[in-house]
């Protein structure tokens, strides 16, 4: 599956952005979609994940209550709504896709995902 992320940009602290990630084709298997980010000079870190059914979501503590992950399965798209952004959210954001065992499976680590998008830069100015 090829993934294309978009929606990044420069925003002031306290502002909002919505990232989108479109998958190249629809799969009839169960899958998980997730967002990770890599801040400048740091390791890649988990941000959020959503199950194929959309019924389960999971967030990193650092974004809980501020970010929302959602899907539009008809459009093969996953979104990341980011509110109350701060300088620590500055990073390259990457979407990922992983084949899963069930419609409610969630993955939290990089090695559980099979395919990755190219990333979109989010810069938050303080």
């Amino acid at each position: 599956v090829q993934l294309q992320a978009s929606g990044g940009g420069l925003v002031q602290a306290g502002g909002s952005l919505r990232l989108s990630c479109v998958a190249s084709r629809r799969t009839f298997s169960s899958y998980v979609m997730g967002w990770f980010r890599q801040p400048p000079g740091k390791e890649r870190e988990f941000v959020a994940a959503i199950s194929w059914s959309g019924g389960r979501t999971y967030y990193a503590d650092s974004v809980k209550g501020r970010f929302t992950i959602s899907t539009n399965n008809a459009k093969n798209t996953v979104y990341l709504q980011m509110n109350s952004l701060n300088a620590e959210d500055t990073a390259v954001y990457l979407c990922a896709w992983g084949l899963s065992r069930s419609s409610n499976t969630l993955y939290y680590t990089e090695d559980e995902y099979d395919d990755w998008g190219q990333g979109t830069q989010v810069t938050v100015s303080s």
Side-chain angles (χ1 to χ4, degrees), residues 35-118:
W35 286 96
F36 287 73
R37 67 185 182 185
Q38 187 160 16
K42 296 184 179 180
E43 298 289 318
R44 187 178 298 181
E45 61 186 29
F46 170 80
V47 176
I50 188 165
S51 62
W52 169 70
S53 68
R56 293 188 66 203
T57 58
Y58 188 77
Y59 298 91
D61 287 343
S62 58
V63 306
K64 201 173 296 182
R66 300 187 298 122
F67 290 12
T68 303
I69 188 170
S70 62
T71 61
N72 183 328
N73 289 336
K75 295 183 178 180
N76 301 339
T77 302
V78 63
Y79 304 99
L80 186 68
Q81 177 66 42
M82 306 186 295
N83 299 327
S84 303
L85 287 161
N86 57 60
E88 287 68 41
D89 296 316
T90 294
V92 174
Y93 283 72
L94 304 102
C95 59
W97 180 95
L99 195 62
S100 66
R101 299 179 298 277
S102 74
S103 62
N104 282 318
T105 297
L106 288 175
Y107 296 145
Y108 319 110
T109 62
E110 294 179 53
D111 58 1
E112 294 176 298
Y113 288 88
D114 302 296
D115 297 300
W116 293 79
Q118 85 290 356

Side-chain angles (χ1 to χ4, degrees), residues 9-15 85-90 122-126:
L10 175 63
V11 63
Q12 289 187 333
L85 287 161
N86 57 60
E88 287 68 41
D89 296 316
T90 294
V122 172
T123 303
V124 184
S125 62
S126 56

